[in-house]
């Protein structure tokens, strides 16, 4: 449930007539022999310590009435007269007038000892569900229609039954009213600013849903004690060291919610696994070992059926691991990129699905949509879909074992040397994905993270111990202690039915060698649920939980300052000290493993948060050295590295900071720095910052010389290409992206290698937090530009159907993934699909056939055909010299070794005139129109939004113009 900071509607409340207050203090959790109130009115003096003795009021309560004089607010603390204080964690209690209760840190307005007066008019009773918010105290702040609001924070609600509180209010003559709820400590549920609009009678409010004329949720109901029927036909089949278990579905008087599988056999003994499917698969079992399985059915009331009949299977020998792959090689500019979040793309194996600790809180459970859902098997099954779109490279999210509350995306790495088991299946290991992709003639670009690990550190480098306590508040969060457990992300705790998460990491007792400050003492703050927070409970850079040699010790203060490269950017992202040789070798060794598996390139996450000098000295050379050692210099030269240098601005240089601008990372160093990497990073930052933007290197590598292609000079290239952040930020309109992009190209070593996209898993244009919502025509125009202008066109999964357009890209666990830009895509591509070539689908059935018929799918298929046929559009330099038109340019690519010479004139959407061009015959790749140029000028009428013209100079022989490529579609015609 999302809760807001405070009610947004005006409550119209007025100050109490008398400037006095009666405060009730709850004693049950204190057990003091005496209670004193030490207080001061706003603007006045404090009482003399220890204050005024409070009088007994009723069971578990004491009270005192104070005279505030002219004040309407005051501060209060409580103590036992012998030095033990409750001062609200050092913040004191900030109180108002009237009747007030203070209970376990929560403030409310009610008389816990008073009697309720009979109502004088219409009444209403509201029940509020506390299951999601987890507040120990709930206040109702309300106003009848046409009447005044209660005094903030409102009236305390009474416990009704497990998970519910209730309150009956007197509406007077009104029949409707507004309500908000809060925990007394500033955390509100005001229906996302709309308040709850209720009527007289009974209402319930649960997870932002108000129900009128509701029945009492605490009313005695006949409990469901009927267990589901016993699963039948349980059958286990073994192949190698994998077992597939199937059974017939059970029935229930209400509904079956899942199944509990018990496995015996092997050296690990009994294991229990929960699933919602009637198919369960396991891999990586012991060789030549008998495993036996029984299945029980589970219903929503927690009733378990009896165990099924047992079935057993004996594993054979482990199949040999898939052979390491070899990068495909070839110029990466030839390969348009399709970007997938693997865990959200397509589910090929339900047995590795995992919801994690936030499964219920996020709302994913209600949608039967675990965060880890898609996998390598599902991706392998849909390679033909991606190939059928015309893409020949796939950028996949990070594959290393993650460890965090909500880690499906892959950016919370824990064991960098191990592939996350929630992505792999029997017959669909990461190596098998790489090999299967290569067999289709497609490349794999692996997303990699050098800047940070998960908040739990990095296995093999450093893992922190945290303070944990399995009390009434925190037992839901901390697994049972499990010292000998090796975290794998997949193993399920048979007690809780959830994945093991932190049972091996926490300790109540202070561990030997602890360096964290104030181990296990309360911080004075509360969690969103109102629970006590303790020092050292979560990893934190400032608490000395991490050694400074391996991890940085600060939070970022200035995103364009030096500290953005040497501090943590988020609590879940423990920032590596990448200038330390031990850290460098840990990361280099890890990523050498994946180079050896045959991946074709790396997309580098958070590249800007590591100094360029460290990239140039350590990580980029290491990538080249390993690729060369394994595959030779030619393949190493084609290994494509492109970095995410987050510069979310619309100017050429990121707020004037060269060190934090994307193009800066494409260049080698131009001077020597200190041998120590930490000192070198500081020297480089100061040196380049002082030189400023006007003294940075420039390049003509992306630009034609007149109409002629010239050999690019890559002698000063760092080895890292970049995501084109400036175009990305300006893709609200294609013309903005075009003009902004080319404005930056002279400061990039070679902008023809820029990776260009409209939106991604992080942002839309202009740093929008929603997936692009400009409309189908605008998408078509953006694509037409990306596929013909310099750079490598890249599409985020689903954009070919405007999937989740306008939806929030990411809200963490505060809302269901199904409502975001990271929703599961597999339903859109269910069915069978076969691609006979790039952009050519030979057969399709089911939902995927419908998806393939959509207008942007047809558009991107043909754009890929056109781009794949014309070398100038893939690798050519460009110029706008002598050209009029909004988005018009000429491109040429010449290779004297292969004899390729390709010259093309392009205009997107609008008309253009090209002057000073070579004479000859030009053929349009979109319409097939043939034009003869004899005076160096070619005029082109505007083709319309989303359409374009690509006139290719016919140079004869192998360089003859292709003419019309593909069939007319909704935009290209």
């Amino acid at each position: 449930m999302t809760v807001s900071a405070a009610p947004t509607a005006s409550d119209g409340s007025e100050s109490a007539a008398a400037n006095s207050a009666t405060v009730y203090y709850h004693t049950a959790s204190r057990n003091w022999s005496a209670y004193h109130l030490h207080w001061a009115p706003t603007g006045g003096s404090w009482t003399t310590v220890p204050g005024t003795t409070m009088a007994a009021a009723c069971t578990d309560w004491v009270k005192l009435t104070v005279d505030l004089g002219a004040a309407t607010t005051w501060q209060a603390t409580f103590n036992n007269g012998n030095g033990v204080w409750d001062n609200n964690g050092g913040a004191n209690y900030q109180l108002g007038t009237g009747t007030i209760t203070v209970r376990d840190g929560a403030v409310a307005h009610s008389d816990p000892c008073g009697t309720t007066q009979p109502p004088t008019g219409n009444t209403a009773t509201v029940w509020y569900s506390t299951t999601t918010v987890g507040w120990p105290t709930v206040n109702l702040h309300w106003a009848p229609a046409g009447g005044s609001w209660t005094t903030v924070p409102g009236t305390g609600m009474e416990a009704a039954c497990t998970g519910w509180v209730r309150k009956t209010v007197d509406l007077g003559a009104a029949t409707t009213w507004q309500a908000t709820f809060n925990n007394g400590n500033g955390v509100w549920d005001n229906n996302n600013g709309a308040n709850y609009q209720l009527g007289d009678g009974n209402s319930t409010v649960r997870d932002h849903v108000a129900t009128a004329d509701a029945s009492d949720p605490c009313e005695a109901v006949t409990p469901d004690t009927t267990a589901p029927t016993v699963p039948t036909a349980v059958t286990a089949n073994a192949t190698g060291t994998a077992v597939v278990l199937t059974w017939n579905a059970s029935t229930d008087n209400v509904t079956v919610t899942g199944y509990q599988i018990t496995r015996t056999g092997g050296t690990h003994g009994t294991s229990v696994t929960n699933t919602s499917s009637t198919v369960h698969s396991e891999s990586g079992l012991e060789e030549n070992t008998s495993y036996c399985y029984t299945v029980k059915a589970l219903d929503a009331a927690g009733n378990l059926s009896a165990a099924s009949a047992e079935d057993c299977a004996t594993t054979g020998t482990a199949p040999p691991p898939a052979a390491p792959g070899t990068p495909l090689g070839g110029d990466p500019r030839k390969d348009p990129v399709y970007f997938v979040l693997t865990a959200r793309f397509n589910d090929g194996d339900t047995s590795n699905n995992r919801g994690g600790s936030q499964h219920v809180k996020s709302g994913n459970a209600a949608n039967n949509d675990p965060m880890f859902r898609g996998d390598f098997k599902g991706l392998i099954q849909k390679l033909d879909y991606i190939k059928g779109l015309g893409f020949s490279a796939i950028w996949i999210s990070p594959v290393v074992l993650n460890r965090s509350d909500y880690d499906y995306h892959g950016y919370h790495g824990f064991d960098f040397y191990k592939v996350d088991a929630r992505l792999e299946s029997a017959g669909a290991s990461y190596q098998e994905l790489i090999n299967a992709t290569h067999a289709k003639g497609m490349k794999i670009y692996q997303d990699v993270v050098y800047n940070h690990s998960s908040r739990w550190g990095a296995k093999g480098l450093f893992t922190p111990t945290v303070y944990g306590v399995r009390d009434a508040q925190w037992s839901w969060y901390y697994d049972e202690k499990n010292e000998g457990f090796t975290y794998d992300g997949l193993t399920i705790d048979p007690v809780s039915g959830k994945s093991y998460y932190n049972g091996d990491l926490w300790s109540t007792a202070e561990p030997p060698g602890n360096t964290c400050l104030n181990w296990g003492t309360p911080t004075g703050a509360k969690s969103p649920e109102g629970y006590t927070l303790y020092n050292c409970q979560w990893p934190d850079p400032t608490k000395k939980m991490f050694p400074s040699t391996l991890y940085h010790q600060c939070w970022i203060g200035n995103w364009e300052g030096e500290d953005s490269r040497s501090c943590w950017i988020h609590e879940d992202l423990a920032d590596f000290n990448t200038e330390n040789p031990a850290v460098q070798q840990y990361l280099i060794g890890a990523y050498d493993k994946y180079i050896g598996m045959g991946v074709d390139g790396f997309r580098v996450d958070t590249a800007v948060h590591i100094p360029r000098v460290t990239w140039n000295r350590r990580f980029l050379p290491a990538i080249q050295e390993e690729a060369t050692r394994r595959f030779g210099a030619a393949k190493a030269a084609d290994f494509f590295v492109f970095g995410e240098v987050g510069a979310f601005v619309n100017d050429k240089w990121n707020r004037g900071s060269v060190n934090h601008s994307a193009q800066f990372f494409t260049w080698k160093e131009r001077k020597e720095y200190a041998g120590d990497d930490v000192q070198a990073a500081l020297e480089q930052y100061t040196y380049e910052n002082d030189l400023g933007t006007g003294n940075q290197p420039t390049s003509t590598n992306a630009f034609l010389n007149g109409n002629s292609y010239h050999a690019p000079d890559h002698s000063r290239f760092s080895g890292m290409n970049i995501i084109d952040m400036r175009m990305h930020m300006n893709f609200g309109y294609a013309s903005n992206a075009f003009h902004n992009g080319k404005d930056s190209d002279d400061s990039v070593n070679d902008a023809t290698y820029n990776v260009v996209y409209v939106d991604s898993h992080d942002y839309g244009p202009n740093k929008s937090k929603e997936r692009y919502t400009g409309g189908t025509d605008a998408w078509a125009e953006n694509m037409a530009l990306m596929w013909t202008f310099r750079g490598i066109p890249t599409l985020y999964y689903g954009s070919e159907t405007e999937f989740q357009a306008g939806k929030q890209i990411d809200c963490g666990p505060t809302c269901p993934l199904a409502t975001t830009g990271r929703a599961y895509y597999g339903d859109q591509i269910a069915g069978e699909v076969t691609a006979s070539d790039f952009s050519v689908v030979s057969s399709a059935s089911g939902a995927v056939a419908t998806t393939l018929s959509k207008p942007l799918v047809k558009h991107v298929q043909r754009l890929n055909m056109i781009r794949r046929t014309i070398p100038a559009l893939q690798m050519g330099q460009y110029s706008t010299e002598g050209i009029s038109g909004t988005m018009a340019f000429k491109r040429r690519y010449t290779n004297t070794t292969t004899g390729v010479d390709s010259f093309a004139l392009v205009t997107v959407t609008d008309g253009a005139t090209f002057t000073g061009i070579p004479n000859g015959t030009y053929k349009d790749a979109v319409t097939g129109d043939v034009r003869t140029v004899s005076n160096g000028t070619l005029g082109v009428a505007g083709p319309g939004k989303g359409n374009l013209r690509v006139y290719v100079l016919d140079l004869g022989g192998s360089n003859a113009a292709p003419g019309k490529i593909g069939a007319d579609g909704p935009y290209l015609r």
Side-chain angles (χ1 to χ4, degrees):
M1 172 181 273
T2 301
V3 291
S4 303
T8 58
S10 173
D11 60 17
S13 60
E14 299 177 355
S15 301
N19 294 334
S20 66
T22 300
V23 62
Y24 289 81
Y25 186 72
H26 192 242
T27 63
S29 61
R30 297 294 176 184
N31 199 27
W32 295 341
S33 59
Y35 294 83
H36 298 266
L37 174 65
H38 180 49
W39 66 282
T42 300
S45 301
W46 284 86
T47 56
T48 303
V49 173
T52 306
T53 302
M54 302 184 74
C58 57
T59 303
D60 293 334
W61 291 93
V62 292
K63 72 174 183 176
L64 186 68
T65 298
V66 297
D67 184 358
L68 300 177
T72 57
T73 58
W74 56 298
Q75 299 185 66
T77 65
F78 306 87
N79 67 88
N80 70 348
N82 284 315
V84 179
W85 290 78
D86 173 10
N87 61 4
N88 194 25
N92 300 335
Y93 290 96
Q94 309 298 315
L95 306 178
T97 58
T99 302
I100 303 165
T101 61
V102 176
R103 178 173 181 168
D104 298 333
V107 176
H109 283 256
S110 61
D111 180 354
C113 303
T115 58
T116 303
Q117 298 297 317
T120 59
N122 297 324
T123 64
T125 300
V126 61
W127 284 266
Y128 183 72
S129 172
T130 61
T131 302
T132 302
V133 295
W135 299 337
T137 298
V138 181
N139 295 309
L140 172 66
H141 181 49
W142 67 281
S148 300
W149 284 83
T150 55
T151 302
V152 172
T155 306
M157 301 185 74
E158 302 97 15
C161 58
T162 302
W164 291 92
V165 293
R166 69 186 291 274
K167 191 70 178 176
T168 298
V169 298
D170 184 355
L171 299 178
T175 58
T176 60
W177 57 299
Q178 298 186 69
T180 67
F181 306 87
N182 66 87
N183 72 348
N185 277 327
V187 181
W188 289 79
D189 172 11
N190 59 13
N191 196 22
N192 291 325
N195 301 335
Y196 291 98
Q197 309 300 316
L198 306 177
D200 57 2
N202 295 340
S203 302
T204 60
V205 175
R206 180 173 185 170
D207 296 345
H208 281 320
V209 177
T211 303
D213 300 322
S215 58
D216 181 349
C218 300
E219 202 169 60
V221 295
T222 303
D224 177 10
T225 59
T226 303
T229 60
V230 177
T232 59
V234 174
T235 305
N237 289 301
T239 303
T241 55
V243 170
V244 176
L245 188 71
T246 61
W247 59 93
N248 291 338
S250 296
T251 59
D252 186 64
N253 62 317
V254 181
T255 184
V256 175
T257 58
Y259 298 90
Q260 186 182 91
I261 303 163
T262 300
R263 185 193 74 201
T264 58
T267 58
H268 296 295
T270 301
S271 71
V272 179
T273 303
N274 292 330
T275 181
S276 59
S277 174
T278 57
V279 180
H280 175 70
S281 64
E282 298 183 303
S283 58
L285 300 173
E286 297 171 44
E287 294 182 308
N288 304 312
T289 301
S290 176
Y291 290 95
C292 295
Y293 298 83
T294 59
V295 183
K296 298 177 181 179
L298 178 71
D299 67 15
N303 298 307
L304 269 175
S305 74
S308 69
E310 183 179 74
D311 196 53
C312 303
T314 300
T315 58
T317 57
T326 300
L328 293 184
D331 195 313
R333 295 174 295 180
K334 294 181 178 181
D335 301 301
V337 180
Y338 192 76
F339 170 35
V340 300
L341 287 178
T342 309
R344 307 302 302 159
F345 185 62
N346 187 55
D347 189 6
D349 178 4
T350 60
S351 70
N352 58 12
N353 292 359
R354 292 295 182 269
S357 64
Q358 305 297 305
H359 189 47
V360 174
K361 178 181 178 181
S362 64
N364 291 338
N367 293 321
N368 193 24
D369 184 28
M371 60 170 182
F372 263 98
R373 188 172 178 183
D375 45 42
F376 295 150
K377 186 173 183 179
L379 183 51
I380 289 171
Q381 290 171 348
K382 300 303 175 185
L383 289 176
D384 271 27
Y385 170 74
I386 298 172
K387 185 171 183 175
L389 295 176
F391 292 94
S392 50
I394 305 173
W395 157 17
I396 61 171
S397 48
V399 305
V400 304
L401 176 62
N402 269 229
R403 189 166 192 167
S404 179
D405 288 338
Y406 214 51
D407 54 6
Y408 66 93
H409 42 67
Y411 297 98
H412 296 163
F414 175 70
D415 188 344
F416 286 68
Y417 286 78
K418 183 179 178 64
V419 175
D420 202 306
R422 292 167 289 188
L423 298 174
E424 294 194 302
S425 309
S429 66
Y430 185 37
Q431 185 66 72
E432 286 163 321
L433 168 66
I434 295 168
N435 295 352
T437 306
H438 286 171
K440 298 284 186 183
M442 303 158 72
K443 296 179 177 179
I444 283 283
Y445 296 149
Q446 178 179 329
D447 209 321
V448 295
V449 184
Y450 287 77
N451 176 66
H452 56 263
S453 70
S454 74
R455 67 166 112 168
W456 304 111
K459 184 180 179 183
L461 185 68
F462 176 77
T463 301
T465 299
V466 298
Y467 174 80
V469 54
R470 282 182 59 80
D471 59 13
Q473 295 183 339
W474 291 108
S475 59
W476 65 274
Y477 182 77
Y478 292 106
D479 295 336
E480 294 283 356
K481 198 64 185 164
N482 198 340
E483 298 284 1
F485 176 64
T486 299
Y487 173 79
D488 62 6
L490 193 64
T491 299
I492 290 177
D493 174 7
V495 176
S496 68
K498 299 187 300 183
S499 298
Y500 279 115
Y501 173 52
N502 54 21
D504 56 329
L505 293 177
W506 63 269
S507 173
T508 301
E510 186 170 355
N514 169 58
T515 56
C516 183
L517 305 177
N518 302 314
W519 177 269
T521 60
T523 65
K526 300 285 185 179
S527 75
E529 301 87 356
Y531 301 158
T532 299
L533 296 177
Y534 301 92
N535 281 301
C536 311
Q537 194 172 15
W538 276 281
D540 184 310
T542 65
K543 296 294 194 301
K544 299 189 181 299
M545 298 182 75
F546 291 79
S548 60
T549 54
L550 304 178
Y551 283 89
H552 291 136
Q553 307 286 298
C554 52
W555 297 106
I556 287 180
N558 177 5
W559 286 84
E560 277 77 46
E562 196 283 327
D563 66 334
S564 74
R565 308 182 307 170
S566 57
C567 297
W568 289 34
I569 60 179
H570 190 271
E571 65 173 9
D572 265 345
L573 310 177
D575 199 80
F576 283 129
N577 180 359
T578 50
E579 285 60 68
N580 180 282
V583 175
Q584 293 169 357
Q585 290 308 309
Y586 176 86
L587 292 167
I588 289 169
Y591 291 125
D592 278 355
K593 168 182 175 176
Y594 304 107
I595 293 171
M597 294 173 74
V599 297
D600 300 277
F602 288 159
R603 180 268 186 181
V604 182
D605 181 72
T606 51
V608 69
H609 299 295
I610 295 175
R612 186 185 75 179
V613 69
T614 304
W615 284 114
N616 284 343
R617 280 185 172 185
R618 310 301 176 197
F619 297 132
L620 293 172
I623 291 171
Q624 277 296 301
E625 288 165 10
E626 182 65 11
T628 300
R629 184 181 73 82
R630 287 185 177 268
F631 306 114
K635 288 287 179 71
D638 291 335
F639 191 92
F640 188 49
V641 178
F642 57 105
E644 177 207 24
V645 181
F648 303 106
V649 293
N650 292 326
D651 51 355
K652 182 173 182 176
W653 296 97
N654 185 5
R655 297 182 176 90
S657 173
V658 295
N659 286 279
H660 296 84
S661 299
Q663 59 267 42
F664 181 75
F665 284 77
T666 66
W667 298 94
K668 287 182 177 179
E669 304 308 326
R670 45 183 166 173
K671 72 182 295 289
E672 291 294 326
Y673 300 105
D676 175 75
D677 283 355
V678 175
Q679 184 61 32
L682 294 172
E683 290 178 4
Q684 182 217 47
Y685 181 87
T686 302
Y687 176 76
E688 295 289 359
N689 203 52
D690 288 348
L691 282 176
T693 60
N695 293 302
Q696 293 302 305
T698 59
S699 168
T700 62
N701 285 337
F703 306 120
L704 291 173
N705 184 3
N707 293 315
S708 300
Y709 179 88
H710 63 92
D713 176 8
H714 293 150
S715 62
R716 294 181 292 166
F717 175 50
S718 66
M720 181 185 290
N721 298 287
I722 54 171
I723 293 169
D724 198 317
M725 297 301 294
R726 193 170 182 196
M727 287 194 72
H728 166 47
M729 285 293 99
N730 282 280
F731 257 119
Y733 300 98
S735 60
N736 284 355
F738 171 64
H739 291 288
N740 276 274
K742 66 189 183 70
D743 178 56
S744 296
D745 286 352
D746 64 344
S747 59
V748 181
N749 183 270
D750 192 340
T752 65
Y753 288 86
N754 285 9
V755 170
V756 182
Y757 57 62
V758 173
D759 62 359
S760 72
H761 59 317
D762 288 325
Y763 292 105
N766 299 313
K767 208 176 181 181
S768 167
K769 294 182 179 179
E770 289 78 40
R771 286 195 75 156
Y772 184 70
T773 186
T776 310
D777 291 353
W779 252 124
E781 185 178 55
N782 287 341
M783 289 178 177
L785 176 65
M786 285 195 293
W787 261 258
T788 55
F789 188 44
R790 60 95 185 115
I792 302 170
T794 300
L795 200 67
Y796 184 40
Y797 81 97
S799 292
E800 65 274 20
T801 65
E802 295 177 89
F803 182 60
Q804 300 294 89
K807 298 292 180 66
Q808 185 176 0
I809 291 173
D810 174 33
C811 63
T814 65
C815 71
L817 280 166
T819 65
T820 73
R822 299 179 179 183
Y824 176 67
Y825 194 58
D827 295 336
Q828 312 293 315
I829 50 176
E832 300 297 324
V833 58
T834 302
S836 56
D837 201 351
F838 292 105
S839 299
V840 181
V841 174
S842 55
S843 65
S845 61
V848 69
T850 301
T851 294
L852 287 165
S853 68
K854 294 190 175 181
L856 289 180
V857 170
K858 297 298 184 184
H859 189 54
V860 78
Q861 284 176 315
R862 193 171 181 208
L863 285 171
N864 272 322
M865 282 185 183
I866 291 170
R867 188 178 189 275
R868 193 171 298 280
T869 305
I870 302 170
L873 301 185
Q874 302 168 30
M875 300 166 288
Q877 296 164 342
Y878 77 95
S879 173
T880 57
E881 181 183 355
I883 302 171
S884 66
T886 305
M887 288 180 285
F889 45 92
K890 55 187 175 183
R891 297 190 67 185
R892 190 168 205 153
Y893 175 73
T894 305
N895 188 316
T896 57
T897 302
T898 60
V900 171
D901 188 9
S902 175
F903 183 79
L905 309 174
V906 180
T907 185
V908 178
T909 298
D910 297 324
T913 299
F914 300 86
T915 63
I917 59 173
N919 291 330
T921 299
Y922 289 79
K923 297 179 181 179
D924 178 25
V926 177
T927 64
D929 180 45
V930 179
R931 306 282 288 276
T932 299
V933 173
S934 58
N935 61 352
T937 300
L938 177 65
V940 182
K945 190 164 186 175
N947 202 351
L948 77 158
R949 297 291 179 258
V950 183
Y951 281 91
V952 180
L953 177 62
D954 192 336
L955 296 170
S958 60
N959 293 314
K964 184 175 181 177
I965 301 169
D968 287 352
Y971 289 98
L972 299 179
R973 56 185 188 275

